[in-house]
Each structure stands twice: as structure tokens, then as C-alpha cells.
């Protein structure tokens, strides 16, 4: 590709540049370039922020690439987090804003797709060549307002084309994460793959297994946080990346559901439809739980009076546990996500519970997220019937109005033992439980009533 006209005056919309420079982030990112230039180094805004500005969006994150070496960056700024120094990538805080400043680097062609073996610092040209896609290798200089676009990123962006820089197969083999990034950027830009990029993605899907679980999980999370994750998830299936990365989800395709209740289609279609209902309120754990919540349906399918998936919630939770272990998800988060999945069918029989059991749920720290999962499950079902959800929310609101705080026991365990003349043991637990339930029912309201109650029990 010609690089003749690669450095020219900016094609960017003047008003976007102005509005970006007026934000606190833009203002500080300008000052960083100025400071580096004053110290004698080349420095540019790069990557996502330039892409955003060309799309007429004010970027919320501005990354900076520079000829300054890590030690020069450390000398130039007072608040530098030096953890990425070895890789030439530092976090610098200016004002209240933190920026990622990266020294121009050369691609490490010897890496095996897991860890770059070494980092070679290089020129701006080499730095552009090591970036993944043409649309991610554009540079903007906020002072001179020059635009550096050596791989035709602007033209590709106009066509919303995701195209690897260099030989796609080689670039994937050097870092398999780039496959997931290709899928994410295509969904984010609502775009298309360049034909050679597409062929390489199709042929090399199995390379995804080389990647560490941590990097796979991080990218999966970014995908789930997109405006339209379903678009990316469909691609993961088409490209067979899902089969290699999340086989427990890949098998959901084609698993039939009872036609009367699920006009949306098979289990995979149901999961996709659920993710389409994500809103800003839904955190990443709820999103992950939603993605996996029915994966056990493939294993539990049976045809009785109608299609049934007995015990699919606990089977799904177990499969998810294995998947998240593979993705090196920290144990605490993993167990939370699995807990949500395990309990997602509970709402169906919610009003069969006695009041004290419902009260337990209303004060449960994960109940709101469980409700969100329940809502998303309904939203991903055609026809969607929210009536039970609405009843539970109304009942919960009424309950919390009456009992704003978790019910605190009117007597301590010690007081109970003294009053009843018993020693620690099972009996104390039983009395505590009975007293707690009586308090929830409103039968016991004071310490005195509590004493009478336990003596009577
Ligand atoms: P986002 O809006 O998601 O932050 P971004 O383009 O800024 O998009 P980042 O993941 O923040 O993406 O990466 C910043 C830049 O670093 C990219 O634009 C790209 O040029 C380069 N980059 C990131 N990861 C890779 C990779 N695995 N291989 C090659 N280049 C990469
Ligand atoms: Mg970024």
C-alpha cells in the first residue's frame, strides 16, 4: 500500500477536534504531547481516539504513542505508574486524568501468540506496522493537526472494513487475541471483514486455544459490553471461535425449545436475544450469567408431555463453572456468576414460598442481580411475559417499605442461652431461626415479646 500521501492535513471534522480539546481529557492529552515535544520527542494521539474522531464521536479515552523511551517518560512526568515499563507502556496521571503512553514499538515477530518474548523500540513507521487493523493505526497530532494514516485506515473506516495490517495469518499466529479483537471491532463499527482477513479468521480459529484464559475472558467481557454483543457472538459461532473457546455455548445452537413458549427459536437464539436486551444497568457479571444461563439445556433436553430441560439451572451452573475456570476467572466472581445461574429458575415458584423465605430473598445481597437475570431471560423469550417479574418487584417494594433494613434479631445468641438455660448447640440455631421468622411475620416486635416467644417455643 502506498504511503506517499500518508501524512497530510487532517480530514477530520474541525468541530470534533475542537470539542475533544475542550474536554478535560482532550485538554490534558494535548498538554502531554506538548510536554513531550518540548522535551524533544515525537508524540501523537493514536488508535481508538483517532478512529472515534473520524466517526464524529468525542473520544473518552486518548492513548499516546511517542519516541520517548520509558525512562524519558518517567523523567518528563511526575505521576507515572511504572508497572508497564518493561513493555514500553506506562500510565501517566496528569490532573485527574490517566493516560496510556506507549513508546513506539516494533512488532515482535518471534512471539508465539502467548507472550511477546521481548520488546523492541522502534520508529513511528514500525509502530504503525505492529498495530492490528488499518482503522487502529491512525495518528493525530493535536498541535500541528497532522494526520498520519500509513495503511489507509480512513478509507477502510469509510467502508467500515476490518483489515489486518500485513499478512493476516502471520498476525494471528503472533497474537491470537487479534481474532477476538477483529470480531469485536466489526461488531462495534457495524462493519465487514476484508476478504483476506475473513479467510484467515476462518482458517485459524483453533489458534484461540493458545491464548491465556485471562486474555480471552477480558476480550469476551469487552464483547459483552458492546452495544450489540449478539452481532459479535454470531461471528464467534460462524468463525468457529466459539467451538474452541466456549464449547458449552457452541452446543446450544440447534437445541430445540418448546415452540409454544419460545417463538424465538433454539437455545442459542434465546441466548442471543437475551444479550440484545442488555442496558447500561446490567453489570458484567449479570451479562456473563445471562450468556451462560441456559447452556445446560443441551445436556438436559428431553421430550415428555412437551420439551423439558429438568434441572438445567444447576447443570448450566456447573458447565459455566468449568468454562470460567478455563478462562481463569477469579473464584469469587466465578461463584457469584454460577450462583446467579443456579437460582435463575427460582422465580417461577416465588409466590409459593412462605413470607419469611421471601423476606430472606429480598434482603439477599445478590437478589437485585438475580432479578436482572430473570428480566433478561424474559426479554429474550418470545412472547415475553413480564407479569410475574412485575408482581415480584411490587411485592419486594412493599416489603422493603415495611422493613427497610435486614431484620435484626431482638435477642443475641447469648441472651437466648441465658433465658433458656441451654448451652451452645443446634437448639440455639433453631430458636434463632424461629424468632427471626416470627419477627418477619410481625408477631414479635420488642425484646419483651421475644423473651415470651422463645420461652413458649
Ligand atoms: P477501544 O475503544 O476498545 O479502547 P482501541 O482501538 O483504543 O479501542 P485498545 O485495546 O485500547 O483499543 O488498544 C489501543 C491500540 O493498541 C489499538 O488501537 C491498536 O492500535 C493497538 N493494539 C491493541 N491491542 C493490540 C494487539 N493485540 N495487536 C496489535 N495492536 C494492538
Ligand atoms: Mg483504547
Amino acid at each position: 500500500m502506498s504511503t506517499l500521501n500518508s501524512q497530510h492535513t487532517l480530514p477530520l471534522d474541525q468541530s470534533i477536534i475542537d470539542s475533544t480539546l475542550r474536554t478535560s481529557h482532550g485538554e490534558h492529552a494535548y498538554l502531554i504531547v506538548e510536554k513531550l515535544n518540548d522535551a524533544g520527542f515525537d508524540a501523537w494521539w493514536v488508535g481508538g481516539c483517532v478512529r472515534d474522531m473520524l466517526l464524529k464521536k468525542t473520544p473518552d479515552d486518548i492513548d499516546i504513542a511517542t519516541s520517548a523511551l520509558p525512562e524519558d517518560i518517567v523523567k518528563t512526568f511526575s505521576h507515572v505508574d511504572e508497572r508497564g515499563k518493561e513493555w514500553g507502556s506506562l500510565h501517566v496521571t496528569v490532573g485527574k486524568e490517566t493516560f496510556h503512553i506507549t513508546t513506539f514499538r516494533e512488532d515482535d515477530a518471534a512471539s508465539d501468540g502467548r507472550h511477546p518474548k521481548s520488546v523492541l523500540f522502534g520508529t513511528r513507521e514500525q509502530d504503525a506496522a505492529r498495530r492490528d487493523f488499518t482503522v487502529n493505526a491512525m495518528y493525530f497530532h493535536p498541535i500541528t493537526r497532522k494526520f498520519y494514516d500509513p495503511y489507509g485506515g480512513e478509507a477502510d473506516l469509510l467502508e467500515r472494513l476490518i483489515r489486518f495490517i500485513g499478512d493476516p495469518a502471520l498476525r494471528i499466529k503472533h497474537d491470537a487475541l487479534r481474532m477476538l479483537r477483529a470480531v469485536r471491532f466489526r461488531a462495534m463499527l457495524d462493519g465487514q471483514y476484508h476478504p483476506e482477513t475473513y479467510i484467515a479468521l476462518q482458517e485459524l480459529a483453533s489458534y484461540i486455544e493458545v491464548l491465556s484464559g485471562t486474555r480471552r475472558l477480558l476480550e469476551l467481557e469487552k464483547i459483552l459490553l458492546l452495544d450489540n454483543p449478539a452481532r459479535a457472538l454470531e461471528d464467534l459461532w460462524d468463525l468457529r471461535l466459539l467451538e474452541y473457546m466456549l464449547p458449552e455455548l457452541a452446543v446450544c445452537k440447534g437445541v430445540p425449545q418448546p415452540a409454544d413458549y419460545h417463538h424465538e427459536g433454539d437455545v442459542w437464539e434465546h441466548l442471543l436475544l437475551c444479550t440484545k436486551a442488555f442496558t447500561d444497568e446490567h453489570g458484567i457479571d449479570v451479562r456473563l450469567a445471562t450468556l451462560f444461563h441456559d447452556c445446560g439445556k443441551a445436556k438436559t433436553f428431553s421430550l415428555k408431555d412437551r420439551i423439558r430441560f429438568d434441572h438445567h439451572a444447576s447443570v448450566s451452573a456447573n458447565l459455566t463453572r468449568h468454562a470460567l475456570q478455563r478462562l481463569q476467572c477469579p473464584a469469587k466472581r466465578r461463584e457469584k456468576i454460577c450462583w446467579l445461574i443456579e437460582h435463575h429458575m427460582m422465580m417461577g415458584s416465588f409466590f409459593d414460598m412462605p413470607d419469611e423465605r421471601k423476606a430472606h430473598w429480598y434482603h439477599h445481597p445478590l437478589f437485585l442481580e438475580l432479578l436482572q437475570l430473570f428480566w433478561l431471560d424474559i426479554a429474550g423469550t418470545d412472547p415475553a411475559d413480564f407479569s410475574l417479574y412485575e408482581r415480584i418487584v411490587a411485592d419486594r417494594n412493599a416489603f422493603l417499605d415495611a422493613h427497610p433494613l435486614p431484620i435484626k434479631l431482638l435477642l443475641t445468641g447469648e441472651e437466648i442461652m441465658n433465658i433458656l438455660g441451654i448451652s451452645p448447640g443446634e437448639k440455639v440455631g433453631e430458636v434463632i431461626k424461629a424468632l427471626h421468622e416470627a419477627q418477619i411475620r410481625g408477631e414479635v416486635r420488642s425484646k419483651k415479646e421475644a423473651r415470651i416467644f422463645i420461652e413458649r417455643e
Side-chain angles (χ1 to χ4, degrees):
M1 182 169 302
S2 158
T3 56
L4 264 185
N5 283 323
S6 60
Q7 184 168 324
H8 53 81
T9 315
L10 194 71
L12 283 173
D13 200 291
Q14 192 64 37
S15 63
I16 282 295
I17 301 174
D18 292 342
S19 67
T20 303
L21 289 172
R22 273 198 302 272
T23 63
S24 164
H25 205 66
E27 199 179 309
H28 287 101
Y30 180 100
L31 292 175
I32 289 177
V33 169
E34 190 172 54
K35 213 160 177 189
L36 286 166
N37 285 173
D38 288 349
F41 304 109
D42 194 15
W44 297 71
W45 292 4
V46 67
C49 61
V50 186
R51 203 182 58 225
D52 283 349
M53 289 199 298
L54 277 164
L55 292 172
K56 305 201 188 320
K57 285 195 288 195
T58 310
D60 10 80
D61 193 28
I62 297 174
D63 293 328
I64 288 147
T66 177
S67 62
L69 294 173
E71 53 265 37
D72 300 322
I73 300 172
V74 172
K75 275 189 226 144
T76 311
F77 299 94
S78 26
H79 300 288
V80 185
D81 177 347
E82 295 189 35
R83 261 170 295 178
K85 202 168 164 187
E86 228 185 307
W87 309 111
S89 186
L90 297 169
H91 283 95
V92 174
T93 305
V94 185
K96 283 191 183 137
E97 314 275 343
T98 297
F99 296 86
H100 208 182
I101 306 186
T102 308
T103 305
F104 291 150
R105 280 189 302 213
E106 209 179 313
D107 192 36
D108 175 25
S111 102
D112 58 359
R114 268 177 280 223
H115 316 283
K117 285 201 180 107
S118 60
V119 172
L120 296 171
F121 297 125
T123 61
R124 192 182 61 203
E125 288 71 20
Q126 287 165 328
D127 188 74
R130 69 130 186 127
R131 292 184 182 270
D132 44 11
F133 309 111
T134 57
V135 292
N136 283 351
M138 294 185 281
Y139 299 66
F140 170 64
H141 195 290
I143 303 169
T144 63
R145 306 214 166 183
K146 279 192 172 138
F147 179 59
Y148 177 59
D149 175 22
Y151 293 97
E154 188 197 355
D156 281 352
L157 193 60
L158 270 176
E159 291 289 355
R160 311 258 162 168
L161 268 192
I162 303 303
R163 181 205 307 244
F164 273 112
I165 292 171
D167 173 3
L170 214 58
R171 302 310 306 284
I172 290 172
K173 287 178 186 165
H174 290 167
D175 183 2
L177 186 79
R178 292 171 182 152
M179 291 193 282
L180 297 181
R181 287 177 60 86
V183 168
R184 171 160 71 90
F185 285 114
R186 129 128 157 133
M188 190 172 105
L189 297 176
D190 196 14
Q192 317 183 71
Y193 300 107
H194 184 273
E196 284 162 25
T197 291
Y198 186 65
I199 290 169
L201 289 173
Q202 275 186 318
E203 285 177 353
L204 298 170
S206 67
Y207 274 76
I208 204 71
E209 291 181 324
V210 175
L211 268 188
S212 76
T214 308
R215 290 185 85 205
R216 275 184 277 178
L217 178 61
L218 217 77
E219 203 56 39
L220 176 65
E221 290 177 353
K222 288 187 182 177
I223 284 174
L224 289 177
L225 289 165
L226 289 168
D227 285 343
N228 184 5
R231 181 105 204 242
L233 293 168
E234 278 168 340
D235 276 5
L236 291 182
W237 199 88
D238 287 344
L239 294 165
R240 296 180 60 205
L241 284 163
L242 203 65
E243 188 183 316
Y244 291 107
M245 190 163 105
L246 299 168
E248 24 312 83
L249 289 182
V251 296
C252 293
K253 180 107 165 175
V255 176
Q257 303 195 100
D260 284 352
Y261 303 96
H262 287 279
H263 298 177
E264 75 275 13
D266 64 21
V267 177
W268 176 241
E269 291 299 330
H270 168 59
L271 294 175
L272 289 181
L273 202 57
C274 292
T275 69
K276 285 184 186 168
F278 288 157
T279 69
D280 289 349
E281 270 172 50
H282 299 120
I284 188 62
D285 292 345
V286 167
R287 288 177 190 231
L288 278 163
T290 305
L291 179 65
F292 284 97
H293 78 280
D294 272 350
C295 65
K297 280 185 171 175
K299 275 203 171 141
T300 54
F301 172 91
S302 68
L303 184 60
K304 297 178 179 163
D305 48 327
R306 63 169 174 86
I307 291 175
R308 296 210 174 262
F309 305 102
D310 295 342
H311 311 296
H312 76 270
S314 57
V315 175
S316 301
N318 281 333
L319 289 170
T320 306
R321 186 167 289 112
H322 283 118
L324 292 178
Q325 255 158 0
R326 227 172 35 238
L327 297 180
Q328 294 166 302
C329 179
K332 208 167 157 203
R333 281 191 61 209
R334 185 181 71 219
E335 287 315 311
K336 173 184 164 188
I337 293 163
C338 293
W339 184 93
L340 290 171
I341 295 174
E342 183 138 22
H343 290 84
H344 85 270
M345 292 299 287
M346 180 194 86
M347 303 296 187
S349 53
F350 196 75
F351 286 105
D352 300 344
M353 288 184 208
D355 281 357
E356 51 270 20
R357 195 69 200 143
K358 282 194 308 187
H360 158 81
W361 285 113
Y362 290 151
H363 285 305
H364 194 287
L366 295 181
F367 189 70
L368 274 185
E369 282 159 289
L370 192 58
L371 262 186
Q372 289 184 327
L373 175 58
F374 182 48
W375 185 89
L376 285 162
D377 195 3
I378 300 168
T381 304
D382 179 19
D385 176 359
F386 290 96
S387 52
L388 177 58
Y389 170 85
E390 280 156 12
R391 263 183 77 202
I392 295 174
V393 170
D395 192 67
R396 174 180 174 275
N397 291 345
F399 177 85
L400 291 183
D401 282 346
H403 308 278
L405 295 170
I407 304 282
K408 187 165 177 270
L409 220 57
L410 288 161
L411 297 173
T412 65
E414 196 145 349
E415 285 169 328
I416 291 172
M417 289 190 284
N418 284 339
I419 295 165
L420 299 182
I422 54 174
S423 16
E426 230 172 84
K427 173 78 184 158
V428 184
E430 284 168 19
V431 176
I432 288 180
K433 189 163 175 274
L435 177 60
H436 189 244
E437 291 173 359
Q439 285 183 223
I440 290 169
R441 288 193 301 272
E443 292 166 16
V444 173
R445 292 166 196 278
S446 67
K447 237 176 154 63
K448 191 171 157 205
E449 284 178 8
R451 196 168 295 134
I452 297 169
F453 174 84
I454 63 164
E455 281 170 344
R456 220 181 36 216
E457 270 291 290

